[in-house]
Amino acid sequence: MIIDHPLLGPRDSAEFTYMGDARLIERPSPDAEDAAAAFYEYAYLRDNPAGLHRELWFHEAGDRSWLVVTRNTVTHEIAKVELATDVARAKGRST
Amino acid sequence: MMRYSGLRVIKEALSGHKGWWPAWRNPEPAEAYDIVVVGGGGHGLATAHYLAKEFGQAKVAVIEKGWIGGGNVGRNTTIIRSNYLLDGNEPFYEMSLKLWEGLEQDLNYNAMVSQRGILNLIHSDNQRDAFIRRGNAMLLNGADADLLSIDDIKKRYPFLNTQDARFPIKAGLAQHRGGTVRHDAVAWGYARSADSRGVDIIQNCEVTGFRIENGACKGVETTRGFIGAGKVGCAVAGNSSRLMSLANIRLPIESHVLQAFVSEGLKPVLPGVITFGAGHFYCSQSDKGGLVFGGDIDGYNSYAQRGNLPVVEDVCEGAMAIFPMLGRARLLRMWGGIMDMSMDGSPIIDKTHIDGLYFNGGWCYGGFKATPASGYAFAHLLATDTPHETAKAYRFDRFETGRMIDEKGMGNQPNLH
Ligand SMILES: Cc1cc2nc3c(=O)[nH]c(=O)nc-3n(C[C@H](O)[C@H](O)[C@H](O)COP(=O)(O)OP(=O)(O)OC[C@H]3O[C@@H](n4cnc5c(N)ncnc54)[C@H](O)[C@@H]3O)c2cc1C
């Protein structure tokens, strides 16, 4: 698989480490009333779809940036690659 | 049911093989069953067999979207063993190994259960300590375990590269009762036995939804219409998340692809199963002569039943590190199957929060060896509504309550289990 890195261009997926569903960016608040339940869902439950999946890849053997890759889990076709920091900031996070 | 025997083979050979008939029926689905099992893989078919034979359940159907045995039960590398460390696992896998030992008699079917032994290679002193601990846990649970010295290993497997500068082989933990089984025959044997006890095996029938009324499951919607059920048990391995999402259930599971490889046929060279302890590589030789081997999962969510090349390279590097002779053999075939990788690397056999809906899954890359015990335990749960003694730890709520069964200590990262 080739991942088209937004800064570095096309790179072999073997340079990356896979982390899983990009929802991991949306860490629940530890201060919320339902924090225990929210963290259980955050840490353990997954949609695991057959089809488009937004997922985190870490460019370990490269520039060490985190990417959000939108990939079809049936065909391995990659529809979109974003920097995870951009995705997180768009959600109002500071980093 | 027509009984199979040596005598029968001779009789048929002398009479032109005209007396064999199909090993199971191909029935139309009935309107309703007491128990519907979704998924005609090893686990679903074993569940049906034990439901009928051990728990006296007659009105049972197995519903399979393709053909039985076309999923992981027909794609795996056929290794059976009970060399687990943790209390939640070891009694279960040991029960499974015992069931394997009596399987062919139980099913009257030649599943080619071959206890040729499995050897886990040890490459460092720390690894030796860890394996001794594991071996002791196995012995405490009534399994067999044997620490082999490097001299024992050289005698048994003279072709191993024991002198590798980076990963020298120091010792090995053997389970002599481990081995391999003809995977397709497991599906067919369970299917034949279940069918003969009245279970309907319905192929080419995909479950597309659950009918849930007032918090209770009343049956399944399928591509061949609605089928009513008192209880529904789901055992669809790599498709677990897809199926359970139809009941709005999110699972602690990711689906990943695992590849397997077979070399051209060779004369007998490898008497047992060997696993590399410094990388991820395991190998056995099939009765046809092909070296059957595999390694790591590809590492990212996948529903494609084929893998990518970096893992092929990694597996072959592992092979060359311990079996340099394998470099001369040509690869004949390779394929992939979809693993239901759970968050702690261990399975789930449990009720869901919906009445009458039960789940069996999260088998990762190790569910073939579990087939008999999984079927038995799932049948127990479906028939009695209580977990089987050996499967009590395989609950959904263990992730919420912190009772993970994490053999490798990797945490909630399915691609590392
Ligand atoms: C390459 C590879 C090597 C492996 N090696 C080993 C090994 O050496 N030892 C070991 O112990 N384990 C091994 N495994 C794991 C083992 O094969 C699986 O854990 C086990 O087979 C899963 O259970 P099953 O047999 O019931 O699954 P499957 O055979 O996959 O059965 C599930 C069935 O459900 C059906 N299904 C799915 N969705 C629906 C639906 N909506 N409606 C109706 N039916 C549906 C599927 O078509 C399928 O037939 C390996 C797996 C692979 C892929």
Side-chain angles (χ1 to χ4, degrees):
Chain A
M1 264 183 338
I2 303 289
I3 295 177
D4 198 2
H5 191 301
L7 304 175
L8 303 177
R11 312 296 307 193
D12 187 339
S13 65
E15 293 176 5
F16 294 79
T17 303
Y18 180 78
M19 182 72 182
D21 195 321
R23 284 206 199 166
L24 288 169
I25 293 175
E26 295 156 50
R27 195 180 168 83
S29 159
D31 303 322
E33 280 285 320
D34 64 344
F39 268 96
Y40 157 64
E41 290 196 13
Y42 169 81
Y44 296 112
L45 300 187
R46 299 287 181 267
D47 288 343
N48 190 23
L52 286 184
H53 187 229
R54 294 185 82 216
E55 54 200 25
L56 287 166
W57 291 75
F58 176 52
H59 200 194
E60 190 168 25
D63 71 345
R64 305 186 75 76
S65 57
W66 284 92
L67 305 183
V68 173
V69 176
T70 307
R71 186 179 57 94
N72 187 318
T73 58
V74 180
T75 61
H76 297 330
E77 193 183 347
I78 292 175
K80 194 172 176 188
V81 184
E82 303 154 273
L83 285 172
T85 43
D86 291 347
V87 174
R89 285 206 187 99
K91 289 185 186 299
R93 290 241 320 249
S94 54
T95 48
Chain B
M1 177 172 77
M2 173 208 270
R3 276 195 72 77
Y4 294 159
S5 68
L7 211 63
R8 181 92 212 181
V9 174
I10 295 169
K11 192 172 158 234
E12 289 300 330
L14 295 176
S15 57
H17 290 289
K18 294 200 185 85
W20 304 113
W21 63 76
W24 55 84
R25 297 163 298 134
N26 211 356
E28 285 299 310
E31 249 165 54
Y33 294 90
D34 292 342
I35 300 177
V36 161
V37 177
V38 186
H43 292 217
L45 293 165
T47 303
H49 160 80
Y50 293 114
L51 274 173
K53 177 154 190 256
E54 305 293 337
F55 299 95
Q57 300 288 330
K59 276 201 74 73
V60 176
V62 176
I63 297 181
E64 164 57 48
K65 75 171 172 185
W67 64 95
I68 59 167
N72 290 341
V73 71
R75 291 166 185 267
N76 63 73
T77 42
T78 79
I79 300 166
I80 62 165
R81 55 187 171 89
S82 68
N83 54 359
Y84 284 71
L85 172 71
L86 300 178
D87 285 345
N89 278 329
E90 182 57 14
F92 174 83
Y93 285 101
E94 178 52 23
M95 156 152 158
S96 207
L97 196 49
K98 291 210 171 77
L99 287 170
W100 282 118
E101 288 172 330
L103 186 81
E104 294 168 314
Q105 289 68 32
D106 188 25
L107 301 181
N108 175 235
Y109 202 88
N110 180 7
M112 294 162 70
V113 177
S114 165
Q115 292 182 292
R116 53 186 70 183
I118 178 165
L119 175 67
N120 300 127
L121 296 175
I122 294 170
H123 305 270
S124 69
D125 291 344
N126 316 36
Q127 199 172 28
R128 187 199 318 259
D129 290 347
F131 270 112
I132 289 174
R133 181 174 173 223
R134 176 184 297 255
N136 286 336
M138 291 161 65
L139 294 174
L140 285 173
N141 282 294
D144 66 308
D146 188 9
L147 191 70
L148 297 188
S149 71
I150 183 65
D151 291 334
D152 294 335
I153 291 174
K154 278 184 185 161
K155 235 177 274 155
R156 280 166 206 251
Y157 305 104
F159 50 82
L160 282 179
N161 173 16
T162 52
Q163 298 300 328
D164 187 87
R166 181 73 182 81
F167 303 119
I169 297 172
K170 300 257 188 186
L173 184 70
Q175 183 174 35
H176 301 301
R177 286 164 62 242
T180 58
V181 182
R182 169 84 200 278
H183 50 1
D184 302 308
V186 174
W188 299 333
Y190 274 124
R192 171 170 168 269
S193 168
D195 173 89
S196 77
R197 293 183 162 82
V199 172
D200 282 356
I201 296 171
I202 298 159
Q203 304 183 72
N204 297 312
C205 181
E206 179 173 353
V207 170
T208 54
F210 298 97
R211 187 172 292 180
I212 294 164
E213 288 165 9
N214 302 323
C217 183
K218 301 288 180 199
V220 288
E221 308 289 350
T222 79
T223 46
R224 292 169 70 175
F226 173 75
I227 300 175
K231 291 175 180 175
V232 176
C234 303
V236 297
N239 283 299
S240 292
S241 299
R242 281 168 103 173
L243 181 69
M244 299 317 280
S245 73
L246 301 173
N248 290 321
I249 293 176
R250 290 175 83 215
L251 296 175
I253 286 176
E254 283 179 4
S255 293
H256 288 257
V257 64
L258 176 66
Q259 307 190 55
F261 310 83
V262 168
S263 77
E264 59 189 323
L266 305 172
K267 286 185 178 169
V269 283
L270 183 55
V273 183
I274 295 193
T275 73
F276 182 31
H280 204 155
F281 169 76
Y282 48 89
C283 189
S284 66
Q285 188 169 20
S286 80
D287 292 346
K288 276 197 284 186
L291 292 170
V292 182
F293 58 96
D296 262 329
I297 55 176
D298 274 33
Y300 42 81
N301 289 40
S302 175
Y303 284 91
Q305 284 175 316
R306 60 188 157 75
N308 268 318
L309 291 172
V311 167
V312 179
E313 188 177 15
D314 185 65
V315 170
C316 292
E317 282 170 358
M320 291 304 290
I322 55 168
F323 284 150
M325 68 162 182
L326 223 147
R328 305 295 295 270
R330 274 165 299 191
L331 203 58
L332 200 61
R333 290 188 293 130
M334 52 199 269
W335 64 91
I338 303 306
M339 315 282 76
D340 34 342
M341 299 296 299
S342 70
M343 286 286 164
D344 61 358
S346 295
I348 296 160
I349 303 178
D350 202 358
K351 302 178 191 182
T352 68
H353 69 273
I354 297 168
D355 269 349
L357 185 60
Y358 300 73
F359 178 75
N360 173 322
W363 293 99
C364 303
Y365 44 77
F368 178 67
K369 72 175 95 66
T371 305
S374 164
Y376 198 99
F378 202 32
H380 188 285
L381 178 68
L382 282 163
T384 68
D385 268 315
T386 53
H388 185 260
E389 184 59 29
T390 61
K392 277 192 307 214
Y394 296 154
R395 308 236 335 232
F396 274 116
D397 67 1
R398 70 176 186 266
F399 300 95
E400 215 168 347
T401 57
R403 293 183 175 81
M404 263 70 78
I405 314 169
D406 191 343
E407 286 276 334
K408 280 200 182 172
M410 288 298 181
N412 60 341
Q413 192 62 39
N415 61 351
L416 297 182
H417 286 295

